[in-house]
Structure formats: structure tokens, C-alpha cells
Amino acid sequence: MNLKVIAFDADDTLFINEPYFQETEQKFCGLMEDYLSHQGISQELFKVEIDNLKIYGYGIKAYILSMIEAAMKISNNTIPVEIIEKIIEYGKELLEKPIVLLDGVEETLQALHSKYKLVVATKGDLLDQRRKLHDSGLGHFFHHIEVMADKQEKDYSDLIKRLEIQPSEFFMIGNSLKSDVLPVLAIGGHAVHIPFHTTWAHERIDYEVKHDNFYAFEKMTDVIKRLL
């Protein structure tokens, strides 16, 4: 491989994210349990989230709006203002969650940054992702931070053009096969999947990935052995 750029997803690749959303969802279900079962509430919230992706995109602010909309639908627009205030409070708590680095992240970045151009390629809210990267203490390792509206083939192609490299010179590392691996392989790049113990339902696929440019590692530090 003649690689020039190593790109990292942020949430659940560099630091913990999805468990915080799951914790908030459980609190939301508890808040709405007079109207519906916890399973029913979760299903309705997920449906609203997916319907809203094309409008709000990804991130905590979009999640707050989806929780409010789901609460209105579940309650048939009878939800008291106190419940909405509580949902907003849950969202603000999400925005203030501590940044917890995943094992091997700092060691891997330290090892790679002198040989490769490192970038962040992640979805979510721009302000929140920049805050998390700043608070993580990892920002100095990265040449470029790209907060993407989505992670489709075109999004990666546009990023690669901005980086002024060829797809074959691009290596993506992330926890989502759907967002971090498949579109990169489709445009001729290389991709590594490092699983996290939990994944948002929207990011799951139900088949095995087989490709010459695909690598599956158990932990982040395995990347060092492959690239150095």
C-alpha cells in the first residue's frame, strides 16, 4: 500500500459515544412510560430519528429534537411542558458528558502521526464534535478535521479530492461497517473495522464484508502492526 492519509472516525472509535445515547434513551423511556411500553417508545423514537436524518442530520441536537417529536407523537400531542423541559435537560447532559478515550487510541496516534497525515472523518454536529476533539486532548495529532453530513461514497470522494490524494492512498479506520468501511471500499480506498461493544441500529449490517482492501482488527493498536 502506498498510503498518504489515515482517517479516523471519532465516536466509538476514538472515544465513547453510543453508551451515552443508550443511557439517555432509557431515561426518555422512563419519562414516557405512562403512555407506552419501553420497547414501543424506543421503536417510535428510532423511527422518528431515521425520518429526521435528511432534515437534521446526525448528532445530539438532532437527537433532542427527535425525542421531543417522538414524545408528542406518543402522547398524541398531550405532553406537558415539564416533560419537554426534561427532554431538553437530558440533551444538555449529553452535551456535557466526559470524554473517555478508548484503549490504545493515544498510543496509535502517537505512533502513526510522524509517518502519515492523520485526519478525523466523522458524522455529527460540527460544534459538538470539535468540542469533543478539543477536550479529548487528541487534536494536535490531526492535520484535518472533517465533520461530514453523511458518510456515503460521494462524501468520501469529496473529502479525498480536498486532501488532494487518490482513493488508493486513503485508509479509513472506524467502528461502523456501514459508514466507515463499505463506502470507502466502494471508491477504491482501504478500510479497517475495529468493533465497539455496542452499535446504533442504523449503523448495523447483516452480512460479512469480503474485500482485498478490508481489514478487521480487534483493537486499535493492531493498526500500528499493519501500517508500520
Side-chain angles (χ1 to χ4, degrees), residues 140-203:
H140 65 285
F141 288 116
F142 297 106
H143 173 268
H144 177 75
I145 296 171
E146 184 88 3
V147 180
M148 307 161 79
D150 206 346
K151 283 184 170 180
Q152 304 293 329
E153 293 174 30
K154 184 181 185 305
D155 301 292
Y156 282 108
S157 293
D158 290 345
L159 171 60
I160 286 169
K161 287 178 184 177
R162 284 193 288 276
L163 293 169
E164 299 181 328
I165 60 171
Q166 297 301 312
S168 60
E169 298 169 324
F170 183 77
F171 193 94
M172 181 70 195
I173 300 169
N175 70 294
S176 170
L177 289 166
K178 181 178 179 181
S179 291
D180 301 320
V181 171
L182 294 178
V184 174
L185 297 177
I187 63 170
H190 304 262
V192 165
H193 179 238
I194 301 177
F196 190 61
H197 66 83
T198 184
T199 304
W200 184 33
H202 183 61
E203 296 292 341

Side-chain angles (χ1 to χ4, degrees), residues 77-210:
N77 294 325
T78 63
I79 199 76
V81 68
E82 291 80 11
I83 297 294
I84 296 176
E85 288 175 343
K86 200 68 179 175
I87 292 170
I88 294 171
E89 179 185 320
Y90 291 163
K92 288 181 176 180
E93 289 173 358
L94 256 181
L95 287 165
E96 295 171 353
K97 289 291 186 182
I99 305 303
V100 179
L101 298 183
L102 294 176
D103 291 344
V105 164
E106 194 160 11
E107 177 185 348
T108 302
L109 296 176
Q110 183 68 50
L112 297 178
H113 90 285
S114 61
K115 182 176 180 181
Y116 300 99
K117 182 180 291 186
L118 306 185
V119 305
V120 173
T122 193
K123 292 186 293 192
D125 176 78
L126 176 62
L127 184 62
D128 184 46
Q129 292 292 19
R130 288 188 177 276
R131 174 194 65 82
K132 288 193 286 190
L133 283 164
H134 176 271
D135 291 350
S136 73
L138 301 176
H140 65 285
F141 288 116
F142 297 106
H143 173 268
H144 177 75
I145 296 171
E146 184 88 3
V147 180
M148 307 161 79
D150 206 346
K151 283 184 170 180
Q152 304 293 329
E153 293 174 30
K154 184 181 185 305
D155 301 292
Y156 282 108
S157 293
D158 290 345
L159 171 60
I160 286 169
K161 287 178 184 177
R162 284 193 288 276
L163 293 169
E164 299 181 328
I165 60 171
Q166 297 301 312
S168 60
E169 298 169 324
F170 183 77
F171 193 94
M172 181 70 195
I173 300 169
N175 70 294
S176 170
L177 289 166
K178 181 178 179 181
S179 291
D180 301 320
V181 171
L182 294 178
V184 174
L185 297 177
I187 63 170
H190 304 262
V192 165
H193 179 238
I194 301 177
F196 190 61
H197 66 83
T198 184
T199 304
W200 184 33
H202 183 61
E203 296 292 341
R204 298 173 193 158
I205 63 172
D206 59 0
Y207 57 90
E208 185 179 355
V209 177
K210 293 184 178 180

